[in-house]
Amino acid sequence: MKNYFIAKSRRIRSTSYTSRIENQGVTAYTVYNHMLLPAAFGSLEDSYHHLKEHVQVWDVAGERQVEIKGKDAAKLVQLMTCRDLSKSKIGRCYYCPIIDDKAGLINDPVVLKLEEDRWWISIADSDVILFAKGLAIGNNFDVKIFEPNVDIIAVQGPKSFKLMEKIFGKKITEMKFFGFGYFEFANHQHLIARSGWSKQGGFEIYVEDTKSGIALYDKLFEVGKEFSVKPGCPNLIERIESALLSYGNDMDNNDNPIECGLEKYVNLDNDINFLGKEKLKEIRSKVISKKLMGVVVDAKEISVSKSIDLVNDENFKIGELRSGVYSPHFKKVIGIAMINKPHYKIDQKFKISINDEVFEGKVCDLPFI
Amino acid sequence: MKNYFIAKSRRIRSTSYTSRIENQGVTAYTVYNHMLLPAAFGSLEDSYHHLKEHVQVWDVAGERQVEIKGKDAAKLVQLMTCRDLSKSKIGRCYYCPIIDDKAGLINDPVVLKLEEDRWWISIADSDVILFAKGLAIGNNFDVKIFEPNVDIIAVQGPKSFKLMEKIFGKKITEMKFFGFGYFEFANHQHLIARSGWSKQGGFEIYVEDTKSGIALYDKLFEVGKEFSVKPGCPNLIERIESALLSYGNDMDNNDNPIECGLEKYVNLDNDINFLGKEKLKEIRSKVISKKLMGVVVDAKEISVSKSIDLVNDENFKIGELRSGVYSPHFKKVIGIAMINKPHYKIDQKFKISINDEVFEGKVCDLPFI
């Protein structure tokens, strides 16, 4: 597949670390929340192996925050998600599908409860701030809604714990998964969560003070030398193997959380008020018409830039591949696909055309690893 | 400036014409409404000269439509814009700033009145659909809101009239600026507006039937041979010379329409109901703190990927450059800048650093041509 350049402009915002990563050899970008998100530092496979063995520092400032504060903040956050947040705690992160009144997915952020009346919605790629503003204005809620100046640094990989301990002390390694706390660096308090968009372990540093954040970015590389630290970014191979879903890629507004395997975050048997609740009850009462599943294809390469049809022996479309990559672990192409009823069963066979050649594949459960 | 590749994925949607433009030599993309928007076909200057002399066909499917239909459609559209639409007519386009309750710009679309209760908002780069959904849900409006399958083809340049006449007949040349109508091609009716993101004249074809649209795309090149047709895209030089503002580049949610020189589209002395009206009255009653203006710099090249400070002789920031380009017409760098009070006056001098070299410039009115 031919490569194309990205045309930069102010509309595609740079991050606090853009000049750093360009010096460090970033080769490709994607755009995420109107911002540059690094997509490659040379070889995807090299970066995959490195991430699984060592530690990487990622510029993921594109994960923007929507801050909601004020008397009705909790009410508004709950209105937008089908996950029950009534027992949520300050200092915890919550993965929350955000849906509209038709139960169509709008985003799948991690929600951070900063205070009872102050929340951050750490968003995937869609303007949740506009949805929140519209709802708040329409409902006459007493809230302030804005995008704070937060540029996240992710520290990911098995050696991230040792690296972070060297900078922030033992305490940071005691934090539980999806917990967050405040840690000092160079006289600034940084919100740090044990989270991140890989399954290799690690942290996300929510940098509010740009200057201190850049110093911290440099410090991570300085101290990280002994742990073979490298710059990196969310890795397509690792995230598909781990089935970390990507909004816009694997699912969109035409899908509901139940179709996407997010039942765990759909809480319907309660009296809390959120959009799409009745619709979700209706969906739950029936057999779903499509389901997000894994697929394995007997091929050695693939590049997915749009949905690719999966067909059966009769050339009938049974689903569509939405993300895919060659996995060095399985030595096959693996992917995430939306499979139609009644074909969404394990070992369902299909055919797929990749670069004008037809390959065989079969449906499987997620995650792969 | 070093170039970087764009990482493609389903999240960055392809258009109906992507395979066409890749065969035709597109070299760079930007991302617009989560979709690929061509940004270059080789030399920017060659394309600029060609656009001003001949005719180009552009894949601007990234200009997505938000369709609002139903009993409260007109009420919702009016709620989002400070432009008085009470006398709007079916078959006309309206440039409408969309603002929030603080009068901050959210988008600057062209609004098409299809029927009394059916509208298209042809958006710049932000998820207006989420704002509209939030407002509709919060206000309990009786509307349907969705993104129809519309991939716009723009036909731009002085010879666009001759080319379109050859395909659609004399009638299309009689359409007034910002009018639209339905025209037949290969048994399909296409909504065509006399509009487009250049000042060289032309049309936008709102393709709803993908297959017919692709045939039409090919037909435009076939018939266009005698008019020296070429593939193209919005041209940075042409659009800055003409001062066609770009949301996200020249203005964003931190700016209001009055600061951006859009007073013409701000209608406050009436009894219509829209967001931010009281705030705009307050803004109008005072001297604005910043203003969008033109700048001319004695330099031969520039590449603007983020705001660049403009300072006076005392090294005091008087504004920021948001878009800029070398203009072959003026043989200087020209740009669009947000200038602070009291410096937003014609001939105000400033200094600007480009690639570590300091250049002199001055403020001017928009447009340049």
Side-chain angles (χ1 to χ4, degrees), chain A residues 77-88:
Chain A
V77 173
Q78 182 63 79
L79 184 64
M80 291 193 284
T81 181
C82 52
R83 180 168 183 178
D84 180 357
L85 292 172
S86 61
K87 293 181 185 66
S88 58

Side-chain angles (χ1 to χ4, degrees), chain B residues 78 81-88 94 265-267 270 272:
Chain B
Q78 182 64 79
T81 181
C82 52
R83 180 168 183 179
D84 180 357
L85 291 172
S86 61
K87 293 181 187 65
S88 59
Y94 298 89
Y265 309 103
V266 177
N267 303 132
N270 50 48
I272 60 169

Side-chain angles (χ1 to χ4, degrees), chain B residues 150-200:
Chain B
V150 174
D151 284 349
I152 297 180
I153 300 171
V155 184
Q156 300 286 301
K159 296 182 184 168
S160 60
F161 301 92
K162 292 276 185 199
L163 170 53
M164 291 292 276
E165 184 181 345
K166 279 232 165 180
I167 296 176
F168 294 102
K170 184 80 185 160
K171 201 175 133 233
I172 203 158
T173 65
E174 290 157 5
M175 196 158 46
K176 285 185 182 151
F177 184 69
F178 264 34
F180 69 81
Y182 290 85
F183 296 85
E184 192 182 312
F185 174 76
N187 296 320
H188 277 280
Q189 293 291 321
H190 291 277
L191 188 162
I192 302 182
R194 210 186 121 199
S195 59
W197 217 59
S198 86
K199 283 280 172 79
Q200 307 310 312

